[in-house]
Amino acid sequence: MTSTDRSDAQIRPFRVEIPQSDLDDLRDRLARTRWPDELPGVGWDRGVPLSYLKELAAYWRDGYDWRRQEAQLNEFPQFTTTIDGANVHFLHIKSPEPDALPLILTHGWPGSVAEFLGVIGPLADPRAHGGDPADAFHLVIPSIPGYGFSGPTHETGWTTSRVASAWAQLMARLGYRRYGAQGGDWGAFVSPELGRIDPDHVAGVHVNAATFGFIPFGPVDPDDLATFTDAERERLKRLQATTGGPGNGYFEVQSQTPQTIAYGLTDSPAGQLAWIVERFKDWSHAAGTPEDAVGRDQLLTNVMLYWLTRTAGSAARLYYENMHAGSWGQPPSTTPTGVAVFAEDYAIRRYGERGHNIVHWSEFDRGGHFAAMEVPDLLVGDVRAFFRDVR
């Protein structure tokens, strides 16, 4: 049972056990989808193509095996606890290596704890995966309040700063006095903030898919632009095309009217699927469809963690809360910070150094926003390399 008693510090075991009636309802809704029309020959230019989504929805209905995915999730110890009045679900995987460093991994939107399933083994037990046991981590992988099995939030004010404060409480509650933090997307907001508010305990912060604090806001000074490398120019061009074009529509909606979009996403699985698939198409390092970068079952499991928990609206509220929280400015951080920049990322080092103590910077020619699913080998290698110097 979920508790919202702010004084309840109990850690409760958790298993994913979705009622069959929920799966039957999903199949029925998919079978009865009321499809829109589509202009001929527009491809992805105006959104997700009808033929593509129909085919993917048919696979979701008749080919995708949730019970198999559920069993995979349940291979890992899971728990819930109450922090600051919110339910917090998390995976907690203890390494067999006694000197492992605790590491908290934070997902983003439209991500979930499911995106980390492929990196758990190599990070927690490198000895069993051809790595150095000295690189081992005890892993804590929480669902952000309002996301997945943490369930909806029940009050306003849940910003990324508040999430970071909750993570500091979670790690203390688990008895971890010194630990690292890693994350992408929202996790690249939460993890650096965790380093700021808990510097005595955070050994280092590693981020990927970093935006705020690592990119320019507004026009770039021409003198500054003249010193950009080719790679930095390409990232800036990609960033400007995203923030100034249709690719930013999701942000405008979720940061302004998250309740309105919640009705369609919570009622229509096809709508929820399209909303998330488009982001995977635009943000992953895929040549054509999202499945070129992320496996179809992985993608659908990620969608399921929004659909089954009815958290599309509460997840979107994080955008609203952050955008209406006032200044996003943060004091410079002294916590050692590592940054992995994958092929579809935007981060530019000179901007990151203004607010972060960057001691490690890696750039890769493949991978994208969902690095843990797209290029788990590269992400694991970079996380190991960064924390090797700050343990």
Side-chain angles (χ1 to χ4, degrees):
M1 177 177 290
T2 298
S3 171
T4 56
D5 179 356
R6 293 180 187 275
S7 64
D8 181 7
Q10 181 183 3
I11 295 176
R12 302 170 289 271
F14 177 87
R15 280 182 62 83
V16 183
E17 296 177 324
I18 300 300
Q20 184 60 41
S21 58
D22 286 1
L23 303 182
D24 293 341
D25 174 69
L26 171 62
R27 291 194 67 199
D28 180 61
R29 287 171 183 264
L30 286 169
R32 293 187 297 107
T33 299
R34 185 181 179 191
W35 296 104
D37 70 332
E38 181 184 47
L39 293 172
V42 296
W44 287 84
D45 290 346
R46 304 190 184 204
V48 182
L50 179 60
S51 60
Y52 172 77
L53 200 71
K54 276 187 171 182
E55 196 274 329
L56 184 57
Y59 175 78
W60 191 10
R61 184 185 69 238
D62 297 323
Y64 172 79
D65 185 353
W66 164 254
R67 293 304 183 195
R68 180 179 178 183
Q69 305 301 316
E70 184 180 71
Q72 184 181 12
L73 282 164
N74 285 329
E75 290 175 4
F76 303 105
Q78 297 174 68
F79 306 87
T80 61
T81 192
T82 303
I83 302 176
D84 194 10
N87 185 60
V88 175
H89 159 265
F90 63 98
L91 283 65
H92 189 194
I93 300 94
K94 293 186 177 180
S95 171
E97 306 298 338
D99 296 327
L101 176 71
L103 178 66
I104 184 166
L105 301 173
T106 307
H107 65 83
W109 183 90
S112 68
V113 297
E115 53 181 296
F116 294 115
L117 296 182
V119 302
I120 289 175
L123 289 175
D125 191 4
R127 187 193 301 269
H129 292 80
D132 185 344
D135 289 329
F137 298 94
H138 299 304
L139 299 176
V140 179
I141 310 175
S143 300
I144 293 173
Y147 286 68
F149 296 117
S150 284
T153 46
H154 300 288
E155 59 185 3
T156 61
W158 272 100
T159 63
T160 49
S161 293
R162 189 170 174 181
V163 174
S165 295
W167 283 188
Q169 293 182 55
L170 175 60
M171 296 304 275
R173 191 171 294 180
L174 293 174
Y176 291 136
R177 300 290 298 169
R178 189 169 186 273
Y179 61 93
Q182 199 285 328
D185 190 84
W186 282 130
F189 285 65
V190 172
S191 301
E193 182 63 10
L194 184 53
R196 287 187 179 93
I197 67 174
D198 199 18
D200 293 339
H201 301 114
V202 177
V205 168
H206 182 279
V207 297
N208 65 287
T211 53
F212 175 72
F214 295 88
I215 58 174
F217 278 86
V220 175
D221 183 273
D223 291 337
D224 199 20
L225 182 59
T227 66
F228 272 33
T229 66
D230 290 343
E232 289 173 334
R233 289 176 183 274
E234 181 59 33
R235 282 179 221 140
L236 179 62
K237 180 181 178 181
R238 192 164 58 247
L239 172 67
Q240 291 172 336
T242 298
T243 58
N248 205 43
Y250 82 96
F251 183 93
E252 295 297 334
V253 171
Q254 297 194 151
S255 63
Q256 300 299 330
T257 57
Q259 186 64 33
T260 301
I261 194 66
Y263 298 109
L265 300 184
T266 304
D267 188 60
S268 168
Q272 177 69 93
L273 181 62
W275 194 243
I276 289 179
V277 159
E278 188 174 48
R279 300 280 63 78
F280 273 79
K281 168 64 167 63
D282 289 348
W283 295 349
S284 65
H285 193 49
T289 64
E291 294 102 303
D292 293 334
V294 175
R296 178 171 282 197
D297 284 357
Q298 285 183 299
L299 175 60
L300 290 173
T301 297
N302 199 66
V303 174
M304 286 289 270
L305 265 61
Y306 288 84
W307 175 259
L308 294 172
T309 59
R310 303 186 185 188
T311 52
S314 56
R317 286 199 290 266
L318 185 55
Y319 286 82
Y320 184 95
E321 298 294 348
N322 259 36
M323 286 297 293
H324 292 79
S327 174
W328 283 22
Q330 300 288 353
S333 173
T334 59
T335 305
T337 300
V339 182
V341 184
F342 294 95
E344 296 297 323
D345 289 343
Y346 307 129
I348 297 174
R349 182 165 187 163
R350 67 188 71 199
Y351 296 103
E353 287 178 337
R354 296 175 181 178
H356 304 271
N357 178 21
I358 297 176
V359 299
H360 174 97
W361 184 275
S362 299
E363 299 183 6
F364 301 95
D365 61 3
R366 58 189 177 98
H369 193 85
F370 307 96
M373 290 190 281
E374 295 181 61
V375 284
D377 56 330
L378 296 184
L379 182 62
V380 166
D382 204 63
V383 169
R384 288 174 176 172
F386 166 69
F387 281 103
R388 204 171 286 148
D389 294 330
V390 300
R391 284 175 178 267

PDB file of all heavy atoms in Angstrom, residues 83-112:
ATOM      1  N   ILE A  83       8.784   9.941   0.908  1.00  0.00           N
ATOM      2  CA  ILE A  83       9.700  11.047   1.136  1.00  0.00           C
ATOM      3  C   ILE A  83       8.974  12.347   0.808  1.00  0.00           C
ATOM      4  O   ILE A  83       8.438  12.494  -0.297  1.00  0.00           O
ATOM      5  CB  ILE A  83      10.980  10.924   0.294  1.00  0.00           C
ATOM      6  CG1 ILE A  83      11.713   9.604   0.605  1.00  0.00           C
ATOM      7  CG2 ILE A  83      11.911  12.113   0.537  1.00  0.00           C
ATOM      8  CD1 ILE A  83      12.948   9.361  -0.264  1.00  0.00           C
ATOM      9  N   ASP A  84       8.951  13.261   1.756  1.00  0.00           N
ATOM     10  CA  ASP A  84       8.321  14.570   1.552  1.00  0.00           C
ATOM     11  C   ASP A  84       6.876  14.415   1.061  1.00  0.00           C
ATOM     12  O   ASP A  84       6.417  15.150   0.184  1.00  0.00           O
ATOM     13  CB  ASP A  84       9.154  15.398   0.561  1.00  0.00           C
ATOM     14  CG  ASP A  84       8.773  16.864   0.541  1.00  0.00           C
ATOM     15  OD1 ASP A  84       8.009  17.293   1.421  1.00  0.00           O
ATOM     16  OD2 ASP A  84       9.231  17.580  -0.380  1.00  0.00           O
ATOM     17  N   GLY A  85       6.189  13.442   1.584  1.00  0.00           N
ATOM     18  CA  GLY A  85       4.788  13.234   1.250  1.00  0.00           C
ATOM     19  C   GLY A  85       4.518  12.505  -0.043  1.00  0.00           C
ATOM     20  O   GLY A  85       3.364  12.285  -0.402  1.00  0.00           O
ATOM     21  N   ALA A  86       5.564  12.122  -0.767  1.00  0.00           N
ATOM     22  CA  ALA A  86       5.395  11.439  -2.057  1.00  0.00           C
ATOM     23  C   ALA A  86       5.863   9.993  -1.966  1.00  0.00           C
ATOM     24  O   ALA A  86       6.835   9.678  -1.261  1.00  0.00           O
ATOM     25  CB  ALA A  86       6.174  12.162  -3.148  1.00  0.00           C
ATOM     26  N   ASN A  87       5.173   9.135  -2.680  1.00  0.00           N
ATOM     27  CA  ASN A  87       5.627   7.755  -2.810  1.00  0.00           C
ATOM     28  C   ASN A  87       6.821   7.712  -3.762  1.00  0.00           C
ATOM     29  O   ASN A  87       6.801   8.341  -4.821  1.00  0.00           O
ATOM     30  CB  ASN A  87       4.506   6.872  -3.365  1.00  0.00           C
ATOM     31  CG  ASN A  87       4.880   5.413  -3.402  1.00  0.00           C
ATOM     32  OD1 ASN A  87       5.168   4.814  -2.374  1.00  0.00           O
ATOM     33  ND2 ASN A  87       4.860   4.817  -4.592  1.00  0.00           N
ATOM     34  N   VAL A  88       7.863   6.999  -3.368  1.00  0.00           N
ATOM     35  CA  VAL A  88       9.047   6.849  -4.211  1.00  0.00           C
ATOM     36  C   VAL A  88       9.332   5.368  -4.412  1.00  0.00           C
ATOM     37  O   VAL A  88       9.583   4.632  -3.449  1.00  0.00           O
ATOM     38  CB  VAL A  88      10.282   7.542  -3.593  1.00  0.00           C
ATOM     39  CG1 VAL A  88      11.531   7.260  -4.435  1.00  0.00           C
ATOM     40  CG2 VAL A  88      10.060   9.040  -3.462  1.00  0.00           C
ATOM     41  N   HIS A  89       9.258   4.941  -5.657  1.00  0.00           N
ATOM     42  CA  HIS A  89       9.599   3.570  -6.040  1.00  0.00           C
ATOM     43  C   HIS A  89      11.045   3.533  -6.486  1.00  0.00           C
ATOM     44  O   HIS A  89      11.519   4.467  -7.141  1.00  0.00           O
ATOM     45  CB  HIS A  89       8.680   3.113  -7.179  1.00  0.00           C
ATOM     46  CG  HIS A  89       9.212   1.964  -7.977  1.00  0.00           C
ATOM     47  ND1 HIS A  89       9.925   2.150  -9.157  1.00  0.00           N
ATOM     48  CD2 HIS A  89       9.151   0.614  -7.780  1.00  0.00           C
ATOM     49  CE1 HIS A  89      10.248   0.968  -9.648  1.00  0.00           C
ATOM     50  NE2 HIS A  89       9.799   0.027  -8.837  1.00  0.00           N
ATOM     51  N   PHE A  90      11.775   2.475  -6.132  1.00  0.00           N
ATOM     52  CA  PHE A  90      13.161   2.389  -6.585  1.00  0.00           C
ATOM     53  C   PHE A  90      13.637   0.948  -6.642  1.00  0.00           C
ATOM     54  O   PHE A  90      13.163   0.079  -5.905  1.00  0.00           O
ATOM     55  CB  PHE A  90      14.091   3.221  -5.690  1.00  0.00           C
ATOM     56  CG  PHE A  90      14.164   2.775  -4.242  1.00  0.00           C
ATOM     57  CD1 PHE A  90      15.204   1.977  -3.779  1.00  0.00           C
ATOM     58  CD2 PHE A  90      13.188   3.178  -3.333  1.00  0.00           C
ATOM     59  CE1 PHE A  90      15.271   1.586  -2.445  1.00  0.00           C
ATOM     60  CE2 PHE A  90      13.254   2.794  -1.995  1.00  0.00           C
ATOM     61  CZ  PHE A  90      14.294   1.998  -1.549  1.00  0.00           C
ATOM     62  N   LEU A  91      14.556   0.718  -7.582  1.00  0.00           N
ATOM     63  CA  LEU A  91      15.309  -0.525  -7.633  1.00  0.00           C
ATOM     64  C   LEU A  91      16.558  -0.342  -6.778  1.00  0.00           C
ATOM     65  O   LEU A  91      17.144   0.744  -6.760  1.00  0.00           O
ATOM     66  CB  LEU A  91      15.722  -0.861  -9.064  1.00  0.00           C
ATOM     67  CG  LEU A  91      14.688  -1.439 -10.027  1.00  0.00           C
ATOM     68  CD1 LEU A  91      13.574  -0.441 -10.306  1.00  0.00           C
ATOM     69  CD2 LEU A  91      15.339  -1.869 -11.338  1.00  0.00           C
ATOM     70  N   HIS A  92      16.951  -1.383  -6.066  1.00  0.00           N
ATOM     71  CA  HIS A  92      18.153  -1.313  -5.234  1.00  0.00           C
ATOM     72  C   HIS A  92      18.949  -2.595  -5.444  1.00  0.00           C
ATOM     73  O   HIS A  92      18.560  -3.661  -4.972  1.00  0.00           O
ATOM     74  CB  HIS A  92      17.776  -1.148  -3.764  1.00  0.00           C
ATOM     75  CG  HIS A  92      18.940  -0.864  -2.870  1.00  0.00           C
ATOM     76  ND1 HIS A  92      18.874  -0.956  -1.492  1.00  0.00           N
ATOM     77  CD2 HIS A  92      20.218  -0.483  -3.155  1.00  0.00           C
ATOM     78  CE1 HIS A  92      20.039  -0.638  -0.960  1.00  0.00           C
ATOM     79  NE2 HIS A  92      20.878  -0.363  -1.953  1.00  0.00           N
ATOM     80  N   ILE A  93      20.023  -2.475  -6.181  1.00  0.00           N
ATOM     81  CA  ILE A  93      20.849  -3.634  -6.542  1.00  0.00           C
ATOM     82  C   ILE A  93      22.197  -3.509  -5.862  1.00  0.00           C
ATOM     83  O   ILE A  93      22.983  -2.599  -6.160  1.00  0.00           O
ATOM     84  CB  ILE A  93      21.028  -3.730  -8.075  1.00  0.00           C
ATOM     85  CG1 ILE A  93      19.677  -3.875  -8.759  1.00  0.00           C
ATOM     86  CG2 ILE A  93      21.931  -4.909  -8.429  1.00  0.00           C
ATOM     87  CD1 ILE A  93      19.067  -2.566  -9.220  1.00  0.00           C
ATOM     88  N   LYS A  94      22.480  -4.406  -4.940  1.00  0.00           N
ATOM     89  CA  LYS A  94      23.747  -4.369  -4.218  1.00  0.00           C
ATOM     90  C   LYS A  94      24.779  -5.202  -4.978  1.00  0.00           C
ATOM     91  O   LYS A  94      24.538  -6.346  -5.358  1.00  0.00           O
ATOM     92  CB  LYS A  94      23.573  -4.891  -2.804  1.00  0.00           C
ATOM     93  CG  LYS A  94      22.708  -3.983  -1.944  1.00  0.00           C
ATOM     94  CD  LYS A  94      22.652  -4.443  -0.499  1.00  0.00           C
ATOM     95  CE  LYS A  94      21.837  -3.489   0.354  1.00  0.00           C
ATOM     96  NZ  LYS A  94      21.758  -3.906   1.767  1.00  0.00           N
ATOM     97  N   SER A  95      25.938  -4.632  -5.180  1.00  0.00           N
ATOM     98  CA  SER A  95      27.023  -5.307  -5.881  1.00  0.00           C
ATOM     99  C   SER A  95      27.608  -6.412  -5.006  1.00  0.00           C
ATOM    100  O   SER A  95      27.640  -6.287  -3.775  1.00  0.00           O
ATOM    101  CB  SER A  95      28.121  -4.292  -6.218  1.00  0.00           C
ATOM    102  OG  SER A  95      29.274  -4.952  -6.719  1.00  0.00           O
ATOM    103  N   PRO A  96      28.083  -7.486  -5.623  1.00  0.00           N
ATOM    104  CA  PRO A  96      28.791  -8.505  -4.846  1.00  0.00           C
ATOM    105  C   PRO A  96      30.162  -8.029  -4.368  1.00  0.00           C
ATOM    106  O   PRO A  96      30.778  -8.697  -3.527  1.00  0.00           O
ATOM    107  CB  PRO A  96      28.925  -9.678  -5.827  1.00  0.00           C
ATOM    108  CG  PRO A  96      28.861  -9.049  -7.177  1.00  0.00           C
ATOM    109  CD  PRO A  96      27.936  -7.883  -7.034  1.00  0.00           C
ATOM    110  N   GLU A  97      30.631  -6.909  -4.900  1.00  0.00           N
ATOM    111  CA  GLU A  97      31.937  -6.374  -4.500  1.00  0.00           C
ATOM    112  C   GLU A  97      31.775  -5.518  -3.236  1.00  0.00           C
ATOM    113  O   GLU A  97      31.029  -4.542  -3.233  1.00  0.00           O
ATOM    114  CB  GLU A  97      32.542  -5.537  -5.625  1.00  0.00           C
ATOM    115  CG  GLU A  97      32.646  -6.246  -6.960  1.00  0.00           C
ATOM    116  CD  GLU A  97      33.558  -7.470  -6.916  1.00  0.00           C
ATOM    117  OE1 GLU A  97      34.423  -7.537  -6.004  1.00  0.00           O
ATOM    118  OE2 GLU A  97      33.400  -8.359  -7.768  1.00  0.00           O
ATOM    119  N   PRO A  98      32.457  -5.852  -2.155  1.00  0.00           N
ATOM    120  CA  PRO A  98      32.241  -5.149  -0.880  1.00  0.00           C
ATOM    121  C   PRO A  98      32.620  -3.677  -0.903  1.00  0.00           C
ATOM    122  O   PRO A  98      32.061  -2.885  -0.136  1.00  0.00           O
ATOM    123  CB  PRO A  98      33.119  -5.936   0.104  1.00  0.00           C
ATOM    124  CG  PRO A  98      34.148  -6.615  -0.751  1.00  0.00           C
ATOM    125  CD  PRO A  98      33.458  -6.929  -2.036  1.00  0.00           C
ATOM    126  N   ASP A  99      33.560  -3.285  -1.755  1.00  0.00           N
ATOM    127  CA  ASP A  99      33.995  -1.885  -1.793  1.00  0.00           C
ATOM    128  C   ASP A  99      33.304  -1.079  -2.894  1.00  0.00           C
ATOM    129  O   ASP A  99      33.777   0.001  -3.264  1.00  0.00           O
ATOM    130  CB  ASP A  99      35.515  -1.822  -1.994  1.00  0.00           C
ATOM    131  CG  ASP A  99      36.279  -2.428  -0.828  1.00  0.00           C
ATOM    132  OD1 ASP A  99      35.781  -2.325   0.312  1.00  0.00           O
ATOM    133  OD2 ASP A  99      37.353  -3.018  -1.065  1.00  0.00           O
ATOM    134  N   ALA A 100      32.183  -1.570  -3.407  1.00  0.00           N
ATOM    135  CA  ALA A 100      31.470  -0.870  -4.477  1.00  0.00           C
ATOM    136  C   ALA A 100      31.007   0.508  -4.000  1.00  0.00           C
ATOM    137  O   ALA A 100      30.669   0.706  -2.828  1.00  0.00           O
ATOM    138  CB  ALA A 100      30.276  -1.697  -4.933  1.00  0.00           C
ATOM    139  N   LEU A 101      30.990   1.466  -4.926  1.00  0.00           N
ATOM    140  CA  LEU A 101      30.519   2.817  -4.626  1.00  0.00           C
ATOM    141  C   LEU A 101      29.020   2.889  -4.882  1.00  0.00           C
ATOM    142  O   LEU A 101      28.557   2.533  -5.967  1.00  0.00           O
ATOM    143  CB  LEU A 101      31.238   3.836  -5.519  1.00  0.00           C
ATOM    144  CG  LEU A 101      30.778   5.295  -5.391  1.00  0.00           C
ATOM    145  CD1 LEU A 101      31.217   5.874  -4.053  1.00  0.00           C
ATOM    146  CD2 LEU A 101      31.324   6.133  -6.553  1.00  0.00           C
ATOM    147  N   PRO A 102      28.226   3.365  -3.936  1.00  0.00           N
ATOM    148  CA  PRO A 102      26.799   3.566  -4.212  1.00  0.00           C
ATOM    149  C   PRO A 102      26.616   4.609  -5.320  1.00  0.00           C
ATOM    150  O   PRO A 102      27.325   5.616  -5.367  1.00  0.00           O
ATOM    151  CB  PRO A 102      26.256   4.071  -2.875  1.00  0.00           C
ATOM    152  CG  PRO A 102      27.234   3.591  -1.849  1.00  0.00           C
ATOM    153  CD  PRO A 102      28.568   3.636  -2.527  1.00  0.00           C
ATOM    154  N   LEU A 103      25.672   4.368  -6.207  1.00  0.00           N
ATOM    155  CA  LEU A 103      25.414   5.255  -7.333  1.00  0.00           C
ATOM    156  C   LEU A 103      23.915   5.347  -7.555  1.00  0.00           C
ATOM    157  O   LEU A 103      23.248   4.325  -7.716  1.00  0.00           O
ATOM    158  CB  LEU A 103      26.099   4.730  -8.600  1.00  0.00           C
ATOM    159  CG  LEU A 103      25.890   5.534  -9.891  1.00  0.00           C
ATOM    160  CD1 LEU A 103      26.538   6.908  -9.783  1.00  0.00           C
ATOM    161  CD2 LEU A 103      26.462   4.764 -11.095  1.00  0.00           C
ATOM    162  N   ILE A 104      23.376   6.557  -7.562  1.00  0.00           N
ATOM    163  CA  ILE A 104      21.953   6.752  -7.830  1.00  0.00           C
ATOM    164  C   ILE A 104      21.791   7.209  -9.274  1.00  0.00           C
ATOM    165  O   ILE A 104      22.411   8.177  -9.715  1.00  0.00           O
ATOM    166  CB  ILE A 104      21.313   7.743  -6.833  1.00  0.00           C
ATOM    167  CG1 ILE A 104      19.805   7.845  -7.081  1.00  0.00           C
ATOM    168  CG2 ILE A 104      21.993   9.102  -6.833  1.00  0.00           C
ATOM    169  CD1 ILE A 104      19.041   8.516  -5.944  1.00  0.00           C
ATOM    170  N   LEU A 105      20.969   6.479 -10.037  1.00  0.00           N
ATOM    171  CA  LEU A 105      20.723   6.741 -11.458  1.00  0.00           C
ATOM    172  C   LEU A 105      19.341   7.358 -11.615  1.00  0.00           C
ATOM    173  O   LEU A 105      18.352   6.806 -11.123  1.00  0.00           O
ATOM    174  CB  LEU A 105      20.779   5.437 -12.261  1.00  0.00           C
ATOM    175  CG  LEU A 105      22.076   4.626 -12.228  1.00  0.00           C
ATOM    176  CD1 LEU A 105      21.864   3.291 -12.932  1.00  0.00           C
ATOM    177  CD2 LEU A 105      23.197   5.392 -12.903  1.00  0.00           C
ATOM    178  N   THR A 106      19.261   8.481 -12.329  1.00  0.00           N
ATOM    179  CA  THR A 106      17.984   9.176 -12.493  1.00  0.00           C
ATOM    180  C   THR A 106      17.608   9.274 -13.963  1.00  0.00           C
ATOM    181  O   THR A 106      18.385   9.771 -14.782  1.00  0.00           O
ATOM    182  CB  THR A 106      18.045  10.590 -11.891  1.00  0.00           C
ATOM    183  OG1 THR A 106      18.491  10.515 -10.536  1.00  0.00           O
ATOM    184  CG2 THR A 106      16.673  11.248 -11.926  1.00  0.00           C
ATOM    185  N   HIS A 107      16.412   8.811 -14.272  1.00  0.00           N
ATOM    186  CA  HIS A 107      15.893   8.833 -15.647  1.00  0.00           C
ATOM    187  C   HIS A 107      15.355  10.220 -15.981  1.00  0.00           C
ATOM    188  O   HIS A 107      15.417  11.159 -15.181  1.00  0.00           O
ATOM    189  CB  HIS A 107      14.791   7.785 -15.810  1.00  0.00           C
ATOM    190  CG  HIS A 107      13.572   8.055 -14.976  1.00  0.00           C
ATOM    191  ND1 HIS A 107      12.570   8.910 -15.378  1.00  0.00           N
ATOM    192  CD2 HIS A 107      13.193   7.599 -13.744  1.00  0.00           C
ATOM    193  CE1 HIS A 107      11.628   8.958 -14.459  1.00  0.00           C
ATOM    194  NE2 HIS A 107      11.980   8.183 -13.443  1.00  0.00           N
ATOM    195  N   GLY A 108      14.809  10.367 -17.166  1.00  0.00           N
ATOM    196  CA  GLY A 108      14.196  11.615 -17.587  1.00  0.00           C
ATOM    197  C   GLY A 108      12.827  11.365 -18.183  1.00  0.00           C
ATOM    198  O   GLY A 108      12.195  10.344 -17.912  1.00  0.00           O
ATOM    199  N   TRP A 109      12.385  12.292 -19.014  1.00  0.00           N
ATOM    200  CA  TRP A 109      11.133  12.118 -19.773  1.00  0.00           C
ATOM    201  C   TRP A 109      11.477  12.070 -21.255  1.00  0.00           C
ATOM    202  O   TRP A 109      12.309  12.875 -21.710  1.00  0.00           O
ATOM    203  CB  TRP A 109      10.168  13.293 -19.539  1.00  0.00           C
ATOM    204  CG  TRP A 109       8.865  13.089 -20.254  1.00  0.00           C
ATOM    205  CD1 TRP A 109       7.756  12.473 -19.776  1.00  0.00           C
ATOM    206  CD2 TRP A 109       8.555  13.470 -21.610  1.00  0.00           C
ATOM    207  NE1 TRP A 109       6.777  12.442 -20.738  1.00  0.00           N
ATOM    208  CE2 TRP A 109       7.248  13.043 -21.880  1.00  0.00           C
ATOM    209  CE3 TRP A 109       9.267  14.115 -22.632  1.00  0.00           C
ATOM    210  CZ2 TRP A 109       6.628  13.252 -23.115  1.00  0.00           C
ATOM    211  CZ3 TRP A 109       8.661  14.311 -23.863  1.00  0.00           C
ATOM    212  CH2 TRP A 109       7.347  13.886 -24.093  1.00  0.00           C
ATOM    213  N   PRO A 110      10.892  11.164 -22.049  1.00  0.00           N
ATOM    214  CA  PRO A 110       9.895  10.181 -21.643  1.00  0.00           C
ATOM    215  C   PRO A 110      10.530   8.851 -21.265  1.00  0.00           C
ATOM    216  O   PRO A 110      10.247   7.810 -21.866  1.00  0.00           O
ATOM    217  CB  PRO A 110       9.030  10.053 -22.898  1.00  0.00           C
ATOM    218  CG  PRO A 110      10.025  10.221 -24.023  1.00  0.00           C
ATOM    219  CD  PRO A 110      11.065  11.199 -23.523  1.00  0.00           C
ATOM    220  N   GLY A 111      11.409   8.884 -20.297  1.00  0.00           N
ATOM    221  CA  GLY A 111      12.097   7.684 -19.851  1.00  0.00           C
ATOM    222  C   GLY A 111      11.477   7.114 -18.594  1.00  0.00           C
ATOM    223  O   GLY A 111      10.420   7.538 -18.132  1.00  0.00           O
ATOM    224  N   SER A 112      12.184   6.130 -18.027  1.00  0.00           N
ATOM    225  CA  SER A 112      11.716   5.441 -16.836  1.00  0.00           C
ATOM    226  C   SER A 112      12.861   4.593 -16.309  1.00  0.00           C
ATOM    227  O   SER A 112      13.938   4.530 -16.913  1.00  0.00           O
ATOM    228  CB  SER A 112      10.519   4.533 -17.177  1.00  0.00           C
ATOM    229  OG  SER A 112      10.951   3.450 -18.012  1.00  0.00           O
TER     230      SER A 112
END
